[in-house]
Each structure stands twice: as C-alpha cells, then as structure tokens.
C-alpha cells in the first residue's frame, strides 16, 4: 500500500505548496510512490489518516494551533514546510511590535473580529520530525526528503553554510562586489540560488547549527551598516532567533 | 625539451585547433573575476588573469561526482562509475600546477582513487607563468611555486607579443606536433625570455617573516598559542577557505535514490574540515567542536601532517583562502605570527 500523504497550509503565501505542484517532470513518478489524500490546493479530500503530513505556514491564530494539533494526531510523520513553518519567517516580524497596533494597522476598525497571536513556528506548537527550510522550499530537497522518508530513513538537513554551495557554483562572492550577504551563517540546501542570480542571501533557510553571529555582526558593521540595518537584516526571516546587538553597538 | 615560440596572434587559431582534439578548459572572465571553464570560442579565453575563484585542480575532482550506480534491490548489480575524457587545462599558473601535483600524490596513495586518476591520466596541462604576484596574500615566492620545473606538459611564458614555450613531456610535444602555430625559438627570443624572467624575479617578494621550512616546527610550538582563539572568534566556519584551496581534497559520500526507490546514485561532495560537523563521529562525539581547533587543524594539515607524511607542504601559496575569506582571516598573517614576525 502506498504511504498516505497530506499537505496542509497555515499562515503563508502558499508558495511552498505551489512548489510541490510545480514538480511537473516528477509528478507522475511521485504519485506512483505516494497517495495524496489531502491537498486542498490540488484535490478533494480523500482521507483523514496520514503517514506523512507536510505542513506549510506559521501558526498565528488559536484555530490554527488547534488544527495543527489535530493533524499531529492523525499523522505518523510531520514535516514543517518552508520558512513560515520552520522559522516563523516574514510572519514573525509582527512579533517585534505591539500586537494590538499590528491588528489595527491591518484590519482597521474591524480589528476586534480578527484574533491574532504572536507568530509561532510549527515546532513551537507540536513535535516535528523534519524541518524543510526555504522561502520557498527547494524542489530538490522536497524530493530528497520524501524519498528518504519513503525508505524509512531519517533525512539530514545540510550542515553547511550557503557559501559552500555558492563556491561550488563558482560565483563571484557578493562581498567582493560590496554587497553584504548572509550566506556565511545561513543553512545551505537552496543551491545558493539568490547569490547565483546576484541577490544577497537573506537567511530564509534559517541559520547554520552554530552561527558565529558576533563575527557576522562585526563584518556587517565594518561594511557600514547601522544597528537598525543589521537588525532588519538578521530578523527579516529570523525574528524568533533572538540576537543581542547591544555589545556590538554600545559605544 | 623543445623551446618554441607562439605569437599571441595565433592563440585564437590554437584554441580552435585544441578544442577539436579535446575538451578545452581555461580561464574565463566572470564579472570582474575569473573562473576555469570550458572554452568553445577563442574570445572566451582570458589568459591574462590574476587568479581564479576556484583552482583548476577542482576540474579533476568535481563536486557531486557520481561514484556508483546503485541497485537497492540487488546490491551485486550495482556498478561503479569511472569517467574521464580527453581534457586540456590551458593557462594553469605554476602554484596551481603544484596543487595538481599534490592531488596526484594524495589520490595515488593507497587506496588509489580511480575516479581522480582516470580523469587525470586523460588530462594535458599547459602551464602559464605569472609575471607579477596576483594578490597581496599569495606566498608563491616563499613557497617556491612561482616557477615550476614539473607537473605540466607545456609551459608558456609571456614575452609581450608572444609566448615562449617549453615542452616538458612527450604528450605535450605530441599535442602541438603538427600545429602550424609554433616556431623554434631564436637567440633573440631567448634573450627576451631572460629579460622577462628578470623582471618577474624582481616583482615577487617574500611575505613571510622567516623561512618556510621553519613552519612545521613553528606551528607545533604554537599549538597552544592564543592565536587560534583569536582566529576562532572571527571564523564563520563557512568553509570557503578550504573549498577554494587547490590542495583540499576532503569529501563526503551520499546516496540518492530515484522515486522508484530501487535505482540510485552514490555521489561524493566536497567536504571541509571547517564545517562544525566534520569531526563528528558515531555517538555524537566531536573531536574538533570549536572554530579555533578547526582553523588550527587546517594549518597543521597543510604544514605539519602532510609534511610528516609526504615530506612537503600542502600549501602552494596561491593566496585564495586569504583573499576570499569574508572574515578577513589571512593565512600569511597567521604564518607570520607563528614565525614570530
Ligand atoms: S556571495 Fe554570499 S553565499 Fe556566496 S560566497 Fe559570498 S558570502 Fe557566501
Ligand atoms: S573562509 Fe574565513 S570565515 Fe570561512 S571558514 Fe575559512 S577562515 Fe573561517
């Protein structure tokens, strides 16, 4: 019997689901290996029990927290999908502000109709077997992780920094062009796609296991970045990884 | 050994001729820097280059190289993959030739690495001497690698409007055997060569505070030096210094299966002693958990361990690790600290 798979979405742009749907070349083989029983974006619901649940999005309302707990009960393996789910990502930027003000700003006078909580990663609410990082996830990693799970093995996230993939690609380092890049402290797995196309890494895959933030911040400072700029860069996707800038900027 | 001359006007013709006989790899411009890549048209070749992002030795040891075609349902039906095709590496600087010499030695060591050696045996190297140092960080003068006597098949030296060419091997001679672009060197060419070499010798300088042969002992004496802590505090463990090194050869091996869960490929990926998990072993023990220990290991590997094993340094002085480190960690500065400079 083919393993049953569900794909679920919480607060996000749903781009990670689209990445799965965009696996056009591999889709038939993929459907030969798994049975998708729940995927709102793609099919009518066919079941409530899963071997693997892929969960996209962060948890920002009480209902979402309830729903993800329910999914956890119905699945053997839960994989958090994409930066919103694994890091809080862009959604967590609001955690840096007063949540009442945030609500008013977004919903105006109707704000009280929309309960909102501080953004949480999926793993803050339920246990997670694997976190697939990225904004959006990489197709390659999705397939690799899926195949590894199908073989009954444990997928390993890359222990390397984005710089390793950037070097492998033979890119000109953005620092050599005067651009500050977060590649040295960001977990690899994306194939250094942003630096390869000239854009700086924004750490959408989260930080490496042991990021040397103190050194990175000093480097950013030496490139002329202000405290605010450093903070904005480091928290764009990683608000939930607290960084103490005080020792670096108190004069 | 033959001494020949190649006019720069004939380089495009030579590139076309060589490209017909083999895969031609040479320096190409990439934005404001240079990389080794395939040359299919003469205008892609940029022979006057300071250095490249990745060294040419990586062409012989590519990342993600397939090693075994796997059959998960029948292991005996798995097949090893050993590939190589006739390749010419053109415009390789002497330090990078020495990088390849070192990889030749390491990969020939027991057990011999069939993948590297097969590719290497089908590769011809046309070296090109540098006229001046390529960066403030290279140690090729101290390391004696700005000129090299061996490791290449042909050697070119820039004389302004032409190249002086030495043939070093039979394969090199054979390669250019019938090509119409080379003529025998005349006394005037030899004189020009003498002048070029004089200018060259004058432009390279020592950057080290002591003789290189003191490095192994100086490093050992500095094993507990505070230098490593200071470097470790800055190091990002990004692995750039090792990925761009012409003599780094560490790799990891991983299997990837296809969606049929039966067929798959075992590949090797470049790995690095600077990664925080590199020295992690079963049970979770990590015998080099700190960046300071990993940086010290990098230098010891180049100057102490390989010296003890092969009687030579494994740093060819190309300067890439220093030039490309985002944290501005400079090998020459670390060497000078242990040499007491
Ligand atoms: S561009 Fe960014 S990711 Fe690439 S090597 Fe430089 S710092 Fe690393
Ligand atoms: S390139 Fe620099 S920061 Fe990166 S691992 Fe090497 S020494 Fe550390």
């Amino acid at each position: 019997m083919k393993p049953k798979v569900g794909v679920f979405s919480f607060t996000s742009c749903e781009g990670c689901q689209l990445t799965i749907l965009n696996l056009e070349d591999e889709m038939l083989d993929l459907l030969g290996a798994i049975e998708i029983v729940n995927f709102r974006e793609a099919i009518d619901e066919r079941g409530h029990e899963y071997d693997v649940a892929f969960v996209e999005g962060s948890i920002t309302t009480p209902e979402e927290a309830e729903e993800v707990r329910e999914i956890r009960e119905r699945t053997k393996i839960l994989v958090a999908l994409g930066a919103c789910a694994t890091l809080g990502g862009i959604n967590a930027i609001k955690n840096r502000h007063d949540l009442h003000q945030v609500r008013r700003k977004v919903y105006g006078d109707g704000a009280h109709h929309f309960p909102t909580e501080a953004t949480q990663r999926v793993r803050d609410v339920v246990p997670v077997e694997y976190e697939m990082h990225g904004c959006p996830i990489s197709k390659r990693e999705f397939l690799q992780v899926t195949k590894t799970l199908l073989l009954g093995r444990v997928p390993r996230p890359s222990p390397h920094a984005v710089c390793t993939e950037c070097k492998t690609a033979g890119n000109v380092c953005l620092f050599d062009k005067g651009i500050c890049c977060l590649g040295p402290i960001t977990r690899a797995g994306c194939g250094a796609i942003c630096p390869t196309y000239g854009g700086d890494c924004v750490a959408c895959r989260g930080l490496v296991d042991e990021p040397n933030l103190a050194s990175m911040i000093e480097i950013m400072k030496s490139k002329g970045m202000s405290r605010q700029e450093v903070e904005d860069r480091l928290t764009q996707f990683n608000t939930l990884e607290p960084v103490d800038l005080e020792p670096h900027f108190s004069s | 050994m033959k001494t020949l001359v190649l006019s720069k006007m004939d380089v495009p013709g030579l590139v076309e001729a060589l490209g017909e006989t083999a895969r031609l790899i040479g320096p190409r411009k990439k934005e404001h820097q240079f990389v080794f890549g395939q040359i299919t048209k003469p205008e892609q070749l940029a022979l006057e280059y300071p250095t490249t992002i990745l060294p040419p030795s990586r062409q012989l040891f590519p990342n993600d190289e397939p090693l075994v075609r796997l059959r998960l349902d029948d292991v005996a039906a798995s097949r090893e993959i050993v590939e190589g095709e006739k390749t010419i590496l053109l415009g390789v600087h002497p330090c990078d030739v020495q990088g390849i010499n070192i990889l030749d030695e390491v990969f020939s060591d027991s057990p011999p690495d069939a993948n590297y050696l097969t590719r290497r045996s089908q590769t011809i190297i046309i070296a090109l001497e540098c006229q001046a140092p390529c960066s403030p960080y290279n140690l090729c003068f101290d390391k004696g690698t700005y000129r090299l006597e061996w490791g290449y098949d042909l050697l070119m030296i820039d004389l302004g409007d032409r190249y002086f060419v030495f043939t070093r091997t039979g394969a090199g001679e054979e390669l250019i055997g019938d090509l119409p672009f080379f003529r025998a060197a005349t006394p005037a060419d030899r004189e020009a060569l003498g002048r070029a070499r004089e200018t060259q010798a004058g432009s390279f300088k020592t950057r080290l505070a002591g003789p290189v042969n003191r490095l192994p002992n100086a490093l050992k004496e500095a094993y507990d030096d505070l230098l490593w802590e200071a470097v470790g505090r800055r190091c990002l463990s990004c692995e750039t210094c090792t990925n761009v090194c012409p003599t780094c050869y560490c790799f990891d091996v991983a299997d990837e299966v296809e969606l049929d869960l039966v067929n798959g490929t075992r590949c090797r990926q470049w790995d690095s002693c600077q990664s925080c998990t590199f020295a992690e072993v079963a049970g979770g023990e990590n015998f080099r958990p700190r960046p300071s220990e990993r940086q010290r290991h990098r230098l010891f590997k180049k100057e102490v361990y390989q010296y003890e094993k092969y009687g030579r340094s494994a740093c060819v002085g190309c300067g890439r690790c220093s030039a490309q480190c985002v944290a501005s960690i400079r090998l020459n500065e670390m060497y000078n600290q242990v040499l007491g400079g």
Side-chain angles (χ1 to χ4, degrees):
Chain A
M1 223 177 49
K2 291 193 280 188
K4 291 185 169 42
V5 170
V7 182
F8 304 91
S9 187
F10 294 105
T11 301
S12 64
C13 76
E14 310 204 344
C16 292
Q17 291 191 53
L18 281 181
T19 304
I20 302 176
L21 291 175
N22 278 340
L23 284 165
E24 285 154 3
D25 294 339
E26 298 86 359
M27 193 50 89
L28 287 178
D29 287 338
L30 186 64
L31 293 176
I34 60 174
E35 185 189 351
I36 298 182
V37 293
N38 198 327
F39 195 164
R40 187 168 47 92
E41 196 108 328
I43 60 162
D44 293 332
E45 190 175 317
R46 292 179 195 151
H48 289 296
E49 301 294 329
Y50 321 109
D51 293 292
V52 184
F54 291 104
V55 176
E56 163 196 68
S58 26
I59 307 303
T60 65
T61 66
E63 294 78 47
E64 287 186 336
E66 200 40 54
E67 221 177 301
V68 79
R69 282 193 198 99
E70 212 168 287
I71 293 167
R72 178 70 262 190
E73 276 170 23
R74 296 176 182 282
T75 188
K76 294 187 186 127
I77 293 170
L78 193 151
V79 176
L81 213 62
C84 299
T86 63
L87 307 172
I90 300 286
N91 302 322
I93 292 176
K94 75 172 182 186
N95 294 14
R96 288 161 63 191
H97 304 277
D98 178 79
L99 288 184
H100 292 289
Q101 277 176 14
V102 170
R103 255 161 88 189
R104 280 203 74 83
K105 186 150 190 182
V106 176
Y107 300 110
D109 291 339
H112 59 283
H113 294 302
F114 300 95
T116 184
E117 293 181 335
T119 295
Q120 299 182 86
R121 298 164 283 216
V122 173
R123 78 165 129 107
D124 296 329
V125 184
V126 293
V128 165
E129 272 77 22
Y130 185 79
E131 293 188 315
M132 199 182 303
H133 296 289
C135 179
I137 55 163
S138 104
K139 286 184 186 178
R140 190 184 139 98
E141 188 181 8
F142 178 81
L143 288 170
Q144 268 176 348
V145 167
T146 304
K147 290 181 290 192
T148 307
L149 292 173
L150 288 174
L151 285 171
R153 300 196 183 151
V154 183
R156 285 190 311 185
S158 170
H160 305 288
V162 168
C163 288
T164 62
E165 295 180 325
C166 193
K167 281 286 149 323
T168 310
N171 292 337
V172 174
C173 176
L174 291 171
F175 279 92
D176 288 344
K177 298 193 266 185
I179 300 167
C180 196
C181 175
L182 293 182
I185 54 167
T186 301
R187 186 182 301 284
C190 54
I193 184 163
C194 294
T196 300
Y197 289 97
D200 53 300
C201 172
V202 293
C204 76
R205 301 182 52 82
L207 305 184
V208 289
D209 285 338
E210 294 168 20
N212 186 345
L213 279 162
S215 178
M216 192 68 209
I217 292 164
E218 288 302 319
I219 293 167
M220 294 167 93
K221 254 175 76 181
S222 75
K223 305 288 168 202
M225 290 175 78
S226 68
R227 178 177 182 147
Q228 191 60 52
E229 285 168 326
V230 171
E231 181 172 354
D232 288 348
R233 290 293 299 281
L234 290 178
T235 53
Q236 184 177 351
F237 278 91
N238 293 281
T239 301
L240 303 185
E241 287 281 339
V243 182
D244 185 11
L245 293 180
E246 196 55 33
H248 300 277
F249 286 94
S250 57
S251 44
Chain B
M1 184 165 70
K2 283 190 195 160
T3 51
L4 305 167
V5 165
L6 166 71
S7 162
K8 284 194 179 171
M9 286 191 337
D10 286 329
V11 171
L14 176 67
V15 165
E16 276 177 354
L18 294 178
E20 278 166 24
T21 65
R23 194 171 65 111
L24 181 65
I25 306 283
R28 298 178 54 150
K29 195 151 202 250
K30 182 160 187 176
E31 301 176 53
H32 67 294
Q33 297 181 359
F34 296 85
V35 293
F36 273 90
Q38 188 160 5
I39 308 287
T40 52
K41 293 187 222 106
E43 58 272 25
Q44 294 165 333
L45 182 70
L47 276 181
E48 283 165 40
Y49 71 103
T51 185
T52 51
I53 299 171
L54 293 177
S57 50
R58 295 278 176 183
Q59 298 285 333
L60 297 161
F61 170 47
N63 186 47
D64 234 353
E65 176 181 26
L67 302 177
V68 182
R69 192 77 62 219
L70 296 168
R71 285 290 304 243
L72 266 58
D73 57 341
D74 179 8
V75 179
S78 296
R79 289 284 168 266
E80 93 182 292
I81 308 168
V82 179
E83 285 167 350
E85 64 181 300
K86 195 171 171 207
T87 300
I88 299 168
L89 287 179
L90 173 63
V92 181
H93 288 163
C95 62
D96 284 337
V97 173
Q98 178 62 5
I100 294 172
N101 288 340
I102 287 170
L103 289 194
D104 287 353
E105 186 167 23
V106 170
F107 281 126
S108 306
D109 208 344
S110 176
D113 189 290
N115 295 72
Y116 176 88
L117 294 174
T118 301
R119 203 171 273 115
R120 177 69 183 93
S121 68
Q122 298 180 54
T123 301
I124 290 202
I125 297 174
I126 306 179
L128 171 66
E129 270 185 14
C130 305
Q131 295 308 108
C134 62
S135 85
Y137 311 114
N138 50 11
L139 298 170
C140 53
F141 185 82
D142 297 87
K143 293 278 181 178
T145 52
Y146 77 112
R147 281 183 199 161
L148 213 63
E149 298 299 324
W150 64 291
Y152 45 78
D153 299 283
L154 298 168
L155 172 67
M156 304 179 15
I157 296 140
D158 195 334
L159 298 183
D161 60 345
R162 62 201 189 281
Y163 292 104
F164 200 95
V165 179
F166 288 98
T167 61
R168 183 75 180 73
T169 64
E173 272 179 31
E174 204 175 294
L175 181 74
I176 59 173
D178 301 328
L179 295 178
F181 311 111
F182 296 86
R183 63 168 171 81
T186 64
D189 297 320
R190 265 181 254 283
E191 239 172 72
L193 173 70
R195 282 195 303 275
R197 283 230 156 133
E198 241 169 72
T199 321
Q200 180 196 44
S203 66
F204 286 89
K205 287 184 188 53
T206 176
R207 294 194 205 282
L208 290 186
V212 272
N213 55 15
R214 264 193 53 217
L215 273 175
N217 279 331
L219 277 164
K220 283 200 231 171
E221 283 157 23
Y223 190 83
D224 293 318
D225 203 283
L226 290 175
L227 156 71
W228 311 117
E229 291 303 319
V231 168
R233 269 195 294 279
R234 282 158 60 208
C235 177
L236 301 159
S237 301
C238 71
E239 309 173 31
T240 289
C241 49
T242 49
N243 282 328
V244 302
C245 177
T247 72
C248 277
Y249 52 77
C250 288
F251 59 86
D252 197 2
V253 173
D255 295 346
E256 187 166 348
V257 291
E258 285 158 32
L259 272 164
D260 60 13
L261 304 185
V262 170
N263 293 287
T265 314
R266 172 165 300 175
C267 293
R268 65 172 160 197
Q269 289 84 28
W270 297 345
D271 204 354
S272 164
C273 58
Q274 300 310 302
S275 130
C276 62
T277 56
F278 185 82
E280 204 175 87
V281 292
E285 181 68 23
N286 189 336
F287 48 92
R288 279 194 296 277
R290 306 173 62 232
S292 56
E293 295 159 336
R294 298 195 287 267
Q295 278 295 310
R296 178 175 64 194
H297 175 79
R298 174 165 79 95
L299 272 64
F300 269 64
K301 176 74 187 252
K302 298 294 170 202
E303 304 293 354
V304 181
Y305 308 141
Q306 290 223 20
Y307 180 77
E308 286 169 354
K309 183 157 190 201
Y310 299 108
R312 51 136 182 84
S313 158
C315 167
V316 300
C318 74
R320 286 186 180 88
C321 57
S322 303
Q324 297 190 47
C325 175
V326 168
S328 307
I329 292 169
R330 314 291 189 210
L331 186 70
N332 49 325
E333 289 170 10
M334 291 191 281
Y335 281 171
N336 277 339
Q337 283 203 39
V338 302
L339 288 169

